[in-house]
Amino acid sequence: MKKMRRTGKGGFPIMVLFLTWITIFCSAGTAMSRSDLSTQELEGYYKEQERILVDEARAFLDGKGFVNSGVMLTRVIDGDGKREYTLTVHHGKIDRLSDENRLALMAELEELVFEDEGCSFTHRFLDSSLNVR
């Protein structure tokens, strides 16, 4: 009895094409389905993205030696639904960094965003020396 080949003549290429098609289909479905989400579902989506962003910022800062940094994410939603986020970071050691090192750290922090065409991000340090009376 002959064994049937499930992958066709080329074998591997058919499987790659099939998996690529599935990936494209699922990605397109995710992008398209977000526009069909209810307001509550959309808010849940953003809350999860925001939580992940704050967690990533904390982990990044911990890895740089700024353990237990204050990380705050605020948002403003305009009438069109566009969101403006501000990620504010505070740590006493950051206050004492040289300007050059603060700029370098800020450049790395600015890489921490979530991809969404309706969102913009600003990153800043909260300088505690300005708050001393």
Side-chain angles (χ1 to χ4, degrees):
M1 188 158 94
K2 281 186 170 180
K3 285 189 178 180
M4 293 182 64
R5 294 178 70 184
R6 294 182 181 182
T7 57
K9 247 185 179 178
F12 183 73
I14 290 175
M15 184 59 80
V16 171
L17 289 173
F18 179 71
L19 292 174
T20 302
W21 180 80
I22 288 176
T23 302
I24 292 169
F25 178 76
C26 291
S27 297
T30 300
M32 290 167 33
S33 68
R34 198 155 34 116
S35 64
D36 297 334
L37 294 176
S38 71
T39 304
Q40 186 177 2
E41 291 169 323
L42 193 57
E43 187 61 28
Y45 162 79
Y46 281 115
K47 282 197 180 292
E48 180 64 13
Q49 295 302 310
E50 293 162 5
R51 184 194 62 74
I52 291 169
L53 178 59
V54 170
D55 289 348
E56 287 176 352
R58 284 193 175 116
F60 168 77
L61 291 163
D62 284 353
K64 292 288 187 177
F66 304 106
V67 180
N68 296 323
S69 294
V71 177
M72 180 174 60
L73 183 65
T74 57
R75 71 171 178 237
V76 175
I77 306 170
D78 69 14
D80 296 336
K82 292 186 179 182
R83 294 168 177 254
E84 294 179 28
Y85 288 98
T86 302
L87 183 73
T88 305
V89 174
H90 168 71
H91 194 283
K93 285 183 183 178
I94 294 173
D95 295 344
R96 296 185 293 275
L97 287 175
S98 68
D99 288 344
E100 182 179 322
N101 288 337
R102 282 172 63 99
L103 287 173
L105 182 61
M106 180 56 72
E108 289 183 88
L109 272 171
E110 288 174 340
E111 297 294 318
L112 298 176
V113 296
F114 57 86
E115 297 297 323
D116 191 294
E117 61 191 37
C119 299
S120 62
F121 294 87
T122 302
H123 297 70
R124 69 184 200 99
F125 294 125
L126 180 64
D127 191 354
S128 65
S129 65
L130 299 175
N131 299 324
V132 177
R133 294 182 184 188

